[in-house]
């Protein structure tokens, strides 16, 4: 069953599984990188951390295969699996969720954490070694590698939170780290394409209500929703 034709509950399960797989790939990639850096730099604890990451990933994979291999353990894409509430209970059911693929923010988030950890380790090393330039070394590592890691991590965190949830008569727009806002279909006066496959929705005053990109998940569903609810001027 394809992602676009799967029930919404199964679609959510599919996205969580893809996020989990991306996180596992990131962990094992960083673990092998730590082992390689240990051979280059001669730092033994890097090899221990890398080996622990590889062993933990292998153990996780074996456990997942065991769980999914048990009778009744693997989910099946059927209508019974739809975890969304039935429409008669008065709760709106999302039609689609436009968001970045997990690989676009989970790996970047891990990279930011690696840079932050590296800056912390190097700063502590400078303090332990001492010397007249220890303070300078601490400031340099924290202000360069540490700041770079913080910027990457915050960007990835914002990118992972940003999404557009579509309902029958409105959109729920969450622009990164800011709070979500409700955008009724009647508020959207027009939508236009920008460079790089970017789509922008505006109100009657030309103010931006949302922006998204064509490479995001469920983007075709958003375009179809807009075409059905937002009248566009006739082409000349």
């Amino acid at each position: 069953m394809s992602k676009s034709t799967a029930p919404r509950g199964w679609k959510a399960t599919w996205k969580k599984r893809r996020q989990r797989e991306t996180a596992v790939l990131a962990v094992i990639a960083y673990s092998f990188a730590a082992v390689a850096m240990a051979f280059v730099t001669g730092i033994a604890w890097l090899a221990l951390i890398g080996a622990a990451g590889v062993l933990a990933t292998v153990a996780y994979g074996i456990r997942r295969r065991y769980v999914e291999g048990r009778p009744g353990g693997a989910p099946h894409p059927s209508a019974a699996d739809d975890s969304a509430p039935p429409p008669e209970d008065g709760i709106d059911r999302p039609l689609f969720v436009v968001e970045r693929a997990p690989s676009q923010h989970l790996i970047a988030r891990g990279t930011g954490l690696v840079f932050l950890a590296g800056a912390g380790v190097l700063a502590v090393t400078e303090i332990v070694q001492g010397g007249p330039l220890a303070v300078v070394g601490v400031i340099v590592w924290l202000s360069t590698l540490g700041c770079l890691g913080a910027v990457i991590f915050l960007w990835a965190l914002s990118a992972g939170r940003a999404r557009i949830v579509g309902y029958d008569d409105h959109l729920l727009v969450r622009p990164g780290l800011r709070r979500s806002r409700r955008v009724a279909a009647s508020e959207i006066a027009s939508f236009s394409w920008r460079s790089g496959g970017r789509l922008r929705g505006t109100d009657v005053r030309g103010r931006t209500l949302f922006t998204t990109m064509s490479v995001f998940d469920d983007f075709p569903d958003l375009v179809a929703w807009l075409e059905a609810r937002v009248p566009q001027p006739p082409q000349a």
Side-chain angles (χ1 to χ4, degrees):
M1 177 175 289
S2 67
K3 170 177 171 285
S4 60
T5 58
R8 297 185 190 99
W10 176 252
K11 182 184 293 186
T13 303
W14 181 87
K15 287 184 177 181
K16 289 180 180 179
R17 176 174 296 180
R18 192 168 62 153
Q19 290 178 346
R20 183 171 61 244
E21 292 172 352
T22 303
V24 169
L25 290 176
V27 168
I28 197 168
Y30 289 129
S31 299
F32 280 120
V35 174
M37 285 296 296
F39 281 105
V40 173
T41 61
I43 302 177
W45 58 265
L46 276 177
L48 294 176
I49 293 176
V54 172
L55 292 176
T57 305
V58 172
Y60 175 81
I62 294 174
R63 180 180 177 277
R64 290 301 306 176
R65 291 188 61 181
Y66 171 75
V67 171
E68 294 181 356
R70 290 185 302 176
H76 298 282
S78 62
D81 292 322
D82 192 353
S83 58
E88 60 269 13
D89 64 358
I91 301 177
D92 288 339
R93 296 174 54 173
L95 302 176
F96 53 84
V97 180
V98 182
E99 58 187 354
R100 286 175 171 84
S103 59
Q104 297 180 5
H105 61 89
L106 289 180
I107 294 178
R109 193 181 304 181
T111 302
L113 290 175
V114 169
F115 283 176
L116 285 171
V121 169
L122 291 172
V124 171
T125 303
E126 292 284 350
I127 295 174
V128 171
Q129 291 178 350
L133 298 179
V135 176
V136 177
V138 170
I139 295 175
V140 168
W141 287 122
L142 293 181
S143 62
T144 55
L145 198 62
C147 289
L148 178 60
V151 169
I152 295 175
F153 178 79
L154 290 176
W155 175 87
L157 188 64
S158 176
R161 285 177 53 86
R163 60 175 51 95
I164 299 176
V165 183
Y167 295 89
D168 185 63
D169 60 348
H170 69 278
L171 299 175
L172 194 62
V173 181
R174 185 164 71 179
L177 299 178
R178 289 179 290 175
R179 297 180 61 180
S180 302
R181 66 176 184 271
R182 188 181 188 275
V183 177
S186 58
E187 295 181 47
I188 307 173
S190 64
F191 59 94
S192 57
W193 293 93
R194 303 295 180 180
S195 59
R198 185 178 296 274
L199 182 67
R200 174 174 175 260
T202 58
D203 59 11
V204 292
R205 298 182 180 180
R207 295 179 301 185
T208 299
L209 297 175
F210 63 86
T211 58
T212 185
M213 298 189 67
S214 59
V215 295
F216 293 173
D217 291 343
D218 289 355
F219 180 81
D221 296 331
L222 172 62
V223 174
W225 187 91
L226 292 171
E227 290 177 345
R229 292 165 176 80
V230 180
Q232 290 291 89
Q235 298 294 331

